[in-house]
Structure formats: C-alpha cells, structure tokens
Amino acid sequence: MTSGAAIRVEQTGTALVSTATGGLVEIFHTGNSTSNVNNLLYIHNDHVSSTGTTGLKIVQDSTGSALTITGGNYSQLQMISSGAENGIKFVDSGGAVDGYLYATGSSIGFLDSGTNQRFKIDDNSRISLSNNDSGGD
C-alpha cells in the first residue's frame, strides 16, 4: 500500500456520541484474564530499516490534552528501552530539540538540547546541578 489507509474511521458531525468515559472508537476487555499477559492494542513496526516510521502519532489541533493516562499507581506509563538507558525527547513546533529527560539503572536527570547533563539524581540520593553561566542574568 503506497497511499491511503487500511482502516479509516471518520465522523464529521459535531456530536461524537461519547461520554467522559467513552469515545468514537472503543476497545473493551471485560473477561477475567487473571494474570495472563494481554494487549488490547498492539502496534509493531517489524522492519529494522523503517526508521522513518512512527509507531503511534497523535495530533491534537485543539487546546485539550493530546493524551490522558489514568492508572492506579506508579505504572500509569511504562517505557521499555532496548538498551540500558531510557528517555523522553522534547521537540518544539519548529522541529528543534529542546532537551531530554533520561533514566539509567542508577540515575535520572535532564539533558539540554546538546545532550549536556544539567540535572542528575543518582541512586544514592546525590543531586548534581550543572551551571555553565557566567554569573549574568
């Protein structure tokens, strides 16, 4: 397929027949699956050369939230890296990298747009703050 979509769901009306707990497209699992590992939605880009492919892209033209995650504890959002480090890259609307939030096995911190460390907390509760200004404003 070189253009178009395999599945397209479109609703052009102003009332989306939804509530605060539902939406235009809903996926439900109501069976007791105990501790079985299940995925309600699984997206897999299965080719190592597909470096331009984004697994999931959300575009929000309104001022409302683009993504809301509701959970019960510290596991609302889990990111699993293929290596020893994990992170979030922040990019502005012009495509410029603004900075990073990263985590490794022993620390968590912030990097600037050039990946220079600016703030770090290690597993011994030590805090490192990088300051490279010349004393000006």
Side-chain angles (χ1 to χ4, degrees):
M1 185 164 96
T2 59
S3 66
I7 299 172
R8 180 180 174 135
V9 179
E10 183 174 346
Q11 202 279 350
T12 60
T14 57
L16 289 178
V17 189
S18 65
T19 65
T21 59
L24 180 62
V25 177
E26 299 179 13
I27 301 172
F28 286 97
H29 169 61
T30 58
N32 180 0
S33 58
T34 63
S35 61
N36 294 333
V37 175
N38 297 294
N39 300 302
L40 291 182
L41 178 62
Y42 183 81
I43 301 170
H44 184 174
N45 176 21
D46 196 17
H47 199 285
V48 70
S49 297
S50 297
T51 59
T53 301
T54 299
L56 175 64
K57 182 174 183 175
I58 300 171
V59 177
Q60 168 61 300
D61 290 338
S62 178
T63 58
S65 176
L67 176 65
T68 300
I69 300 172
T70 304
N73 56 30
Y74 296 109
S75 299
Q76 290 92 345
L77 176 62
Q78 180 179 8
M79 297 183 349
I80 302 172
S81 175
S82 61
E85 298 175 344
N86 206 334
I88 300 172
K89 178 167 58 172
F90 297 94
V91 180
D92 65 24
S93 61
V97 174
D98 292 331
Y100 303 84
L101 170 63
Y102 75 92
T104 66
S106 61
S107 62
I108 187 168
F110 294 93
L111 306 174
D112 66 13
S113 60
T115 67
N116 300 300
Q117 188 170 15
R118 294 297 171 222
F119 182 81
K120 176 182 175 181
I121 302 174
D122 70 15
D123 58 354
N124 292 316
S125 300
R126 290 184 295 239
I127 298 173
S128 173
L129 179 62
S130 296
N131 185 353
N132 64 352
D133 67 15
S134 60
D137 294 341

